[in-house]
Amino acid sequence: MPIKADLDAIDWKILRELQDDGRMTNVELSRRVGISAPPCLRRVKRLEDEGIIQRYRALLNAPALGMDVVAFCLVGLNRQSEVDLKAFADRTRGWPIVRSAWMVSGESDFMLHCLAPDLGTFQTFVIEELTSSPNVDTVRTALTIRQVKDDGLVSI
């Protein structure tokens, strides 16, 4: 698969390091990738400006914050016109329990990654919000047992 961005070996090192630790200083990053700080900062800025680095965020420990239930919902819609798909996608943005959502192919139309404090809260969401939403035909849920892998979203 061709790479869409024009990246050299140093850019790839920068991306690998920042994906692993987005809080490191530019001085530390430049040391790790083997260039001085000013050109390293210019490269990071270019990667940000080009949208390759989209944003930075902290990864929180959900169980420590009382969020003990992780589940996935596969949602099938009655109609799959572009307007209907967009309407459902927009609706997911208003549900705090849904942490990420994907439009998918196959038997379902969307896959939702949900995080809740307890099973009751998740069940209430599924019954009162999700299944009762306009145009929702089917909902299949899967409660997780434990996470077994959590690498960065992009393999570098």
Side-chain angles (χ1 to χ4, degrees):
M1 182 174 88
I3 298 172
K4 297 177 182 179
D6 184 23
L7 304 174
D8 65 14
I10 298 294
D11 292 328
W12 283 107
K13 287 179 184 178
I14 289 170
L15 294 173
R16 188 177 303 109
E17 292 294 337
L18 287 177
Q19 184 167 253
D20 187 50
D21 179 5
R23 288 194 69 196
M24 79 176 71
T25 65
N26 182 60
V27 171
E28 176 62 17
L29 178 61
S30 68
R31 185 190 67 73
R32 289 188 187 185
V33 301
I35 61 175
S36 64
C40 185
L41 187 59
R42 284 192 298 272
R43 284 174 178 262
V44 170
K45 177 80 169 106
R46 179 181 57 82
L47 293 167
E48 292 169 346
D49 291 346
E50 291 177 1
I52 294 167
I53 297 175
Q54 293 182 319
R55 62 183 174 196
Y56 300 89
R57 65 163 92 173
L59 299 175
L60 306 180
N61 181 333
L65 298 171
M67 304 303 270
D68 293 321
V69 174
V70 178
F72 291 89
C73 299
L74 292 169
V75 180
L77 302 180
N78 287 307
R79 297 172 311 281
Q80 292 82 21
S81 73
E82 188 61 31
V83 170
D84 293 314
L85 294 169
K86 184 179 180 324
F88 186 80
D90 289 345
R91 190 168 295 108
T92 67
R93 293 181 190 96
W95 291 326
I97 201 168
V98 175
R99 303 314 305 154
S100 55
W102 294 267
M103 187 182 302
V104 297
S105 64
E107 293 180 22
S108 299
D109 298 303
F110 287 87
M111 181 170 66
L112 312 179
H113 171 221
C114 301
L115 187 61
D118 53 60
L119 187 56
T121 302
F122 175 68
Q123 289 171 328
T124 298
F125 164 73
V126 170
I127 294 166
E128 295 181 10
E129 296 284 334
L130 186 54
T131 59
S132 65
S133 292
N135 196 29
V136 169
D137 180 39
T138 60
V139 174
R140 292 183 7 234
T141 61
L143 294 173
T144 64
I145 296 170
R146 69 176 155 257
Q147 187 173 38
V148 299
K149 185 174 180 178
D150 186 19
D151 287 348
L153 293 177
V154 178
S155 176
I156 298 175

